[in-house]
Amino acid sequence: MAVKKTTGKTSKTTKKIDLTKYTDFIVEETLALLNIDSPTGYTEEAAAWVKKEFEKLGFKATKTNKGGIIVDLTGKDKENGLLLEAHTDTLGGMVATIKGNGRLQLTNLGGMNPNNAETENVRVVTKFNGIYEGTFQLNNASIHVNGEYDDIKRKWDTCEVVLDEDVKTKEETEKLGVSVGDIVCFEPNARVTKSGYIKSRFLDDKLSVGILLGLAKYIKENKVTPKRALYAHITVYEEVGHGGCGSVPEGCTEAISVDMGCVGEGLTCTEKQVSICAKDSGGPYSYEIVKALTKAAIDSGADYAVDIYPHYGSDVEATLRSGNDLRHGLIGAGVYASHGYERSHRDGAENTLRLLIQYSI
């Protein structure tokens, strides 16, 4: 279900600023982060990278007990703070069973779907014995052997990880140090096309982390102080629903999730736009904030759409459910094929940054 887009033009009093170098930076940072494995529950390396990147830009970044990163982006009004939330945890798998043939049956981490994970390269991160490569395949994956190949429903118990090691029994796999509870990371296959499309697994939500880094770079290089206290929280458990619970800086009155914008049938957003969500599975976002975000998009000249997401939840909803008294909103660059092999565009990232600059600074 889609909300009709209100076409906005740049305000006569607002000059559309050139954000090309910041968009380039966003794409570079996103690609770097995409190549750091971080399935939900296994995010320490990615979080450390995020902390370091914000600190390189000159901002104070603190690791939470849960493993997320809180960044102070400065600002004047400490009693009316704005919290921007994005997440660096992704989908993935975990070893559930070592099968008799030495292969691995998985359980999903987050919403990883075996239908679009089949034939993907993976890395199995053991607790104490390093990392092993493998491939996620249908059981009995040779189509010249398996006469029921086309008819088998792809589920976690009909697919397996085939390790790239000479193992044929459960005992041989166990000798490698592989055990139940080990993390399985799926290859992101990140690339940027000549036409500006960004294609990868896990753009949800590493592209938004890149966008917030772009915002930080803009604040630093242009020596601007946001009109109100501005914070970023890079969460690490969004894909399982509690990333945004807690860690709200004192004085915040508003929180906005910067996550992927939905693109698909019945919605108006494209990968080149910034999406403003009016309602998702958890209910409506603050009407006051949706209006203000829409006005910011118009005033900044950002190409935008307002949509309703039929199957979606966000960090900011977890923030509210944990008892915080906040106004809330959700925006993000348009992303197609969510939770699969996703696609966005550098224009979508730029339009999201443009809106955020107008709204938060």
Side-chain angles (χ1 to χ4, degrees):
M1 181 176 181
V3 174
K4 184 178 179 181
K5 174 184 171 183
T6 303
T7 302
K9 296 182 180 180
T10 307
S11 167
K12 292 180 181 179
T13 60
T14 303
K15 182 179 179 181
K16 190 170 180 180
I17 54 179
D18 183 1
L19 295 175
T20 302
K21 77 169 183 175
Y22 298 104
T23 306
D24 291 342
F25 176 76
I26 288 169
V27 173
E28 291 169 4
E29 294 290 271
T30 299
L31 290 175
L33 183 55
L34 284 166
N35 284 301
I36 302 174
D37 292 327
S38 57
T40 191
Y42 177 75
T43 55
E44 185 173 352
E45 184 180 354
W49 181 90
V50 168
K51 183 175 184 291
K52 181 185 70 175
E53 293 303 295
F54 276 108
E55 289 172 339
K56 281 166 59 176
L57 292 168
F59 295 97
K60 181 181 178 182
T62 306
K63 184 178 179 181
T64 70
N65 289 330
K66 189 183 287 190
I69 305 298
I70 297 286
V71 187
D72 186 347
L73 295 171
T74 72
K76 297 176 182 177
D77 189 349
K78 303 299 184 183
E79 302 304 316
N80 187 28
L82 170 60
L83 176 63
L84 303 175
E85 298 178 307
H87 66 92
T88 194
D89 63 308
T90 70
L91 312 180
M94 178 180 283
V95 177
T97 303
I98 301 176
K99 301 167 66 173
N101 60 3
R103 298 176 181 182
L104 310 177
Q105 184 175 314
L106 305 186
T107 183
N108 61 312
L109 295 177
M112 195 80 196
N113 191 314
N115 286 285
N116 58 43
E118 184 183 1
T119 74
E120 189 60 85
N121 290 313
V122 301
R123 286 173 286 279
V124 180
V125 183
T126 69
K127 299 176 190 67
F128 306 109
N129 292 80
I131 298 172
Y132 295 96
E133 293 190 28
T135 311
F136 186 69
Q137 298 275 26
L138 179 70
N139 297 345
N140 193 18
S142 297
I143 199 167
H144 291 89
V145 176
N146 187 347
E148 298 179 347
Y149 184 96
D150 293 339
D151 302 320
I152 299 171
K153 186 174 182 179
R154 272 55 174 174
K155 301 185 295 182
W156 292 107
D157 59 359
T158 63
C159 297
E160 62 190 5
V161 169
V162 181
L163 290 170
D164 295 326
E165 301 291 333
D166 188 15
V167 290
K168 299 179 179 63
T169 67
K170 176 181 179 180
E171 292 72 23
E172 288 175 339
T173 296
E174 288 176 334
K175 285 180 180 179
L176 296 177
V178 177
S179 62
V180 170
D182 288 344
I183 298 292
V184 179
C185 308
F186 288 74
E187 181 66 38
N189 295 311
R191 63 180 297 180
V192 180
T193 71
K194 291 181 180 179
S195 54
Y197 283 98
I198 308 165
K199 303 196 297 183
S200 182
R201 294 187 186 275
F202 318 134
L203 291 178
D204 171 19
D205 187 34
K206 291 184 173 182
L207 177 56
S208 293
V209 177
I211 291 168
L212 292 188
L213 282 163
L215 177 64
K217 182 178 177 68
Y218 180 88
I219 291 170
K220 183 67 175 180
E221 291 188 350
N222 291 277
K223 298 181 173 61
V224 293
T225 302
K227 50 186 175 277
R228 52 181 167 161
L230 183 61
Y231 306 94
H233 183 190
I234 309 304
T235 74
V236 292
Y237 282 101
E238 192 275 347
E239 294 295 356
V240 288
H242 62 86
C245 293
S247 302
V248 176
E250 185 177 354
C252 283
T253 61
E254 183 181 332
I256 293 176
S257 274
V258 187
D259 207 325
M260 53 148 280
C262 291
V263 175
E265 292 184 7
L267 278 68
T268 59
C269 189
T270 73
E271 296 104 312
K272 292 189 174 184
Q273 295 176 300
V274 56
S275 178
I276 302 169
C277 182
K279 175 183 179 292
D280 66 12
S281 304
Y285 287 84
S286 166
Y287 192 64
E288 175 187 355
I289 301 304
V290 172
K291 285 173 60 179
L293 289 167
T294 303
K295 185 179 186 302
I298 294 169
D299 289 347
S300 67
D303 191 5
Y304 75 97
V306 179
D307 274 313
I308 291 172
Y309 303 167
H311 309 287
Y312 196 104
S314 72
D315 261 330
V316 73
E317 289 169 315
T319 303
L320 265 65
R321 291 192 182 103
S322 63
N324 292 286
D325 181 16
L326 298 164
R327 300 181 298 275
H328 71 311
L330 166 64
I331 66 171
V335 172
Y336 182 64
S338 57
H339 281 199
Y341 188 60
E342 298 165 339
R343 189 180 83 156
S344 191
H345 194 277
R346 58 178 288 123
D347 289 355
E350 182 169 309
N351 281 308
T352 306
L353 176 62
R354 193 174 298 282
L355 188 160
L356 282 170
I357 290 171
Q358 181 71 26
Y359 190 80
S360 66
I361 300 177

